[in-house]
Amino acid sequence: MRPAHPTEQAVGMDHYVSDTDGVGGRLREDDEHFRVRELERFDTEPVDASMDAYPHLVFRATLQGWDTNDFASRVSDALGISRERVNWAGTKDKYAVTTQLFSVYGADPADIPDINGAEIEVLGRAGRNLEFGDLAGNAFELVVSDPDRPDNAAAITDELHAFGGLEDQGSDEATSIGVPNFFGQQRFGSRRPVTHEVGLAIARGDWEGAVMAYLGNPTDAEPESTQEARAFVEETRDWQEALERVPHRLRYERSMIHALAEYDGEPGPDEFRTALERVPSNLQRLFVHAAQSYAFNLMLSKRLERGLPFDRPVDGDVVCFSDTDAPEGLELPDPDRLQRVDERRVDSVTRHCERGRAFVTAPLVGTETELADGEQGEIERAVLDDLGLEPADFDLPGEFHSTGTRRAILLRTDLSLETDPLTLSFALPKGSYATVVSREYLKVDPVDLG
C-alpha cells in the first residue's frame, strides 16, 4: 500500500493498494482510446409490435464526439419533437466512443435520423421509456498512451488479484482483480474538486459557506480570468460587480450571483440557500451526494490503514447480497438486502463473499443510516466526527435531503490486458468508476486519467 496522488487524497482516496510503480502514460489521447459499452438491462418487444401498447422506440447508438445530452437534443430537433420524449439509461462522455440505449416516445424506425458521428441500431419497442439507471453496468476498453513502464502492468495485476481475495480463474486472457470501490475524481470535479465541500457545508447548515465554496476556490486548472473572478467574489462579496466579471460560460455560478444581487441588503442564510436552489435539481443533489461520497472514500482509506480485509467481513460489518438478476460475469451488489455480521456469522458470510454472493459495505450517510459495529463502526463514527457530521444532518429541505444507503467496499472484475498498445478491458456495475481501476495501473495525476 502506497500513498496516492495528492489530488486523489484531497477527495479521500489516500492510498493505492498495489505497491508496484505505475505504468505511467495517460488515457484519452484519442476518443477511440476510451470505449464504453453499456451492459443492457432493458427488455424490448419486436419493432412491429403495436404502438398503442408499446409507444417507445428503443435504439442502440454508438457515438463519437457526442455528449449524451447533446445527442438527445439533436435527435429531438431532427424529429421535431420535445426533448422530453427522448430518454436514455446512462450519461456518457463526449470524449470517448460510447455505445448506449435511447428511447423515443411515438417514433417509427424510419423516423430516426442519420446523424454524423452516430451509428444507430433500432432494437424494438417498449411500454415505457428508458429511465436513468436502466442498465446493469458498463464495459470499458482503455488504451494507455506513452506508458513509461508498460511491463509493470502484469505485476500490478497480480497485486490486485491478491487484494481481491480471488482464486485464479485459469485463463491467460482475463484475470480477476479487486480494488477499493472508491468514488472516482469525476464525482467531485476532475479539474476543480469542490462539490463535496459544497455538500459538507450544506449538511452542516452553513448555506453561505456552501455558496462560497462553489463561487470561490480558484484553481490553477482554470483560465486566469476565471481565477481572478473567483478571487474577486471571495474578497469583496460585491454581487453586482461579480456579474460583470464572472464569465458567462459559468452559468451556474452566475445563477447564484444573480439571486444574491437581486437581494436588497446583506444576504443571510435564507438568501444563500435560495441562491443554491437556483441551480438545476440534479446539481443540488450532486452536492450532497459528493459529501456522502467523500465520507465513504475516507472510510475505505481508514479501513485500509487498519489492515482490515475488503473481500470478507469481520465482526460488526454490514454486508449486502448480490442482485439475483445480474448478467453473467458481473457482480451486482444489492444495497437493499443488508445483514449485520456478528461473530457467529463471520464464517458463513465469508463463504458467501468468496462466491460473489455477499459484499462488505460502508455507508453513504443519510437520515436512515445505521452505522456498523466493531472496528468498521469505529471507523465510520470517527470519520463522521472528524467531518462534524451525523446522519440526522441530512434531514435537509427539498433536493438536498438524503436518506442514505450502503455501498460495497470492494470492486471486483475480470480484466483483460493487452500489451501492444497497452490496453485494459473490464466491466463494472453501474455507479462504479473506471478510473478507480486505471489509477492503480497508471499512478499519475488524475487529470491524465481523463
Side-chain angles (χ1 to χ4, degrees):
M1 189 172 69
R2 59 191 289 170
H5 190 279
T7 304
E8 294 180 322
Q9 292 182 355
V11 294
M13 294 186 286
D14 291 346
H15 309 285
Y16 300 111
V17 295
S18 56
D19 288 325
T20 300
D21 289 343
V23 302
R26 61 193 176 280
L27 301 179
R28 296 185 192 258
E29 177 74 10
D30 185 275
D31 289 355
E32 294 186 356
H33 290 177
F34 200 105
R35 294 179 176 270
V36 188
R37 175 176 54 84
E38 287 182 351
L39 302 176
E40 297 162 2
R41 196 178 191 181
F42 192 77
D43 295 329
T44 60
E45 300 298 324
V47 171
D48 58 3
S50 167
M51 186 180 286
D52 290 338
Y54 303 100
H56 300 272
L57 187 70
V58 180
F59 65 87
R60 181 186 296 124
T62 298
L63 308 177
Q64 184 167 358
W66 279 104
D67 169 89
T68 303
N69 287 277
D70 291 342
F71 177 73
S73 296
R74 174 69 179 84
V75 171
S76 65
D77 289 346
L79 295 175
I81 61 175
S82 166
R83 163 64 188 71
E84 300 303 315
R85 288 169 59 177
V86 183
N87 293 276
W88 58 89
T91 300
K92 300 294 185 289
D93 199 335
K94 177 178 181 178
Y95 302 106
V97 176
T98 66
T99 300
Q100 57 191 119
L101 288 188
F102 291 84
S103 67
V104 182
Y105 178 78
D108 282 321
D111 296 335
I112 303 300
D114 291 328
I115 298 175
N116 288 336
E119 297 179 9
I120 295 175
E121 176 190 1
V122 175
L123 300 181
R125 294 197 172 279
R128 67 171 179 86
N129 62 278
L130 279 161
E131 296 178 352
F132 192 77
D134 272 334
L135 70 161
N138 296 282
F140 298 89
E141 183 180 292
L142 313 181
V143 175
V144 182
S145 299
D146 301 323
D148 302 311
R149 297 168 291 274
D151 292 344
N152 286 11
I156 294 170
T157 299
D158 289 343
E159 290 172 330
L160 299 182
H161 180 81
F163 177 79
L166 296 154
E167 296 181 358
D168 195 335
Q169 297 194 356
S171 170
D172 294 332
E173 297 181 355
T175 300
S176 297
I177 63 167
V179 297
N181 194 19
F182 286 126
F183 284 92
Q185 200 77 25
Q186 308 98 299
R187 184 71 158 187
F188 311 96
S190 296
R191 296 184 178 275
R192 186 170 170 265
V194 300
T195 52
H196 63 297
E197 295 181 14
V198 180
L200 289 170
I202 291 170
R204 295 167 183 148
D206 180 8
W207 299 102
E208 179 178 357
V211 168
M212 295 311 300
Y214 196 72
L215 297 181
N217 280 323
T219 66
D220 292 340
E222 297 178 294
E224 186 174 346
S225 61
T226 300
Q227 295 180 51
E228 291 174 353
R230 293 193 190 281
F232 174 83
V233 172
E234 283 187 338
E235 293 166 6
T236 70
R237 311 290 179 98
D238 184 337
W239 310 116
Q240 292 291 348
E241 179 63 22
L243 287 174
E244 300 297 322
R245 295 178 179 239
V246 173
H248 284 271
R249 66 177 176 275
L250 302 181
R251 60 186 187 278
Y252 298 146
E253 285 89 341
R254 290 182 62 84
S255 292
M256 292 183 187
I257 293 169
H258 267 293
L260 294 167
E262 291 170 359
Y263 181 66
D264 185 17
E266 190 71 22
D270 289 343
E271 287 72 37
F272 281 107
R273 174 185 152 191
T274 298
L276 277 172
E277 292 174 336
R278 286 287 183 93
V279 304
S281 57
N282 64 330
L283 182 55
Q284 295 176 40
R285 292 191 295 271
L286 178 60
F287 291 146
V288 176
H289 291 171
Q292 295 167 317
S293 303
Y294 176 59
F296 178 89
N297 281 359
L298 288 174
M299 291 171 188
L300 267 58
S301 292
K302 298 302 181 187
R303 186 173 176 112
L304 282 170
E305 291 169 7
R306 289 201 182 202
L308 298 177
F310 275 56
D311 61 303
R312 60 190 185 278
V314 296
D315 184 17
D317 275 331
V318 177
V319 301
C320 70
F321 292 91
S322 61
D323 186 329
T324 55
D325 294 329
E328 184 177 355
L330 188 70
E331 291 187 347
L332 280 184
D334 183 352
D336 292 328
R337 302 176 61 211
L338 298 174
Q339 182 180 91
R340 195 173 294 268
V341 182
D342 58 24
E343 188 175 3
R344 296 170 303 162
R345 293 190 177 120
V346 167
D347 289 343
S348 62
V349 176
T350 294
R351 289 192 290 272
H352 285 300
C353 290
E354 290 171 346
R355 296 165 184 162
R357 298 175 183 170
F359 311 87
V360 181
T361 69
L364 294 171
V365 180
T367 57
E368 297 181 5
T369 296
E370 294 184 6
L371 302 178
D373 298 319
E375 282 198 79
Q376 178 61 26
E378 293 174 7
I379 290 170
E380 294 171 10
R381 289 171 177 83
V383 167
L384 294 180
D385 286 346
D386 288 345
L387 296 176
L389 295 177
E390 58 184 43
D393 292 334
F394 293 86
D395 187 10
L396 295 161
E399 298 294 341
F400 302 115
H401 181 86
S402 179
T403 58
T405 185
R406 293 190 77 92
R407 173 181 169 96
I409 65 172
L410 178 67
L411 180 60
R412 294 194 294 203
T413 184
D414 288 345
L415 181 133
S416 177
L417 190 65
E418 299 177 21
T419 56
D420 190 19
L422 181 59
T423 305
L424 311 174
S425 300
F426 52 90
L428 302 179
K430 64 180 181 180
S432 290
Y433 291 76
T435 51
V436 305
V437 175
S438 60
R439 67 185 285 272
E440 292 281 352
Y441 282 89
L442 277 67
K443 295 187 176 74
V444 294
D445 188 319
V447 170
D448 291 322
L449 296 176

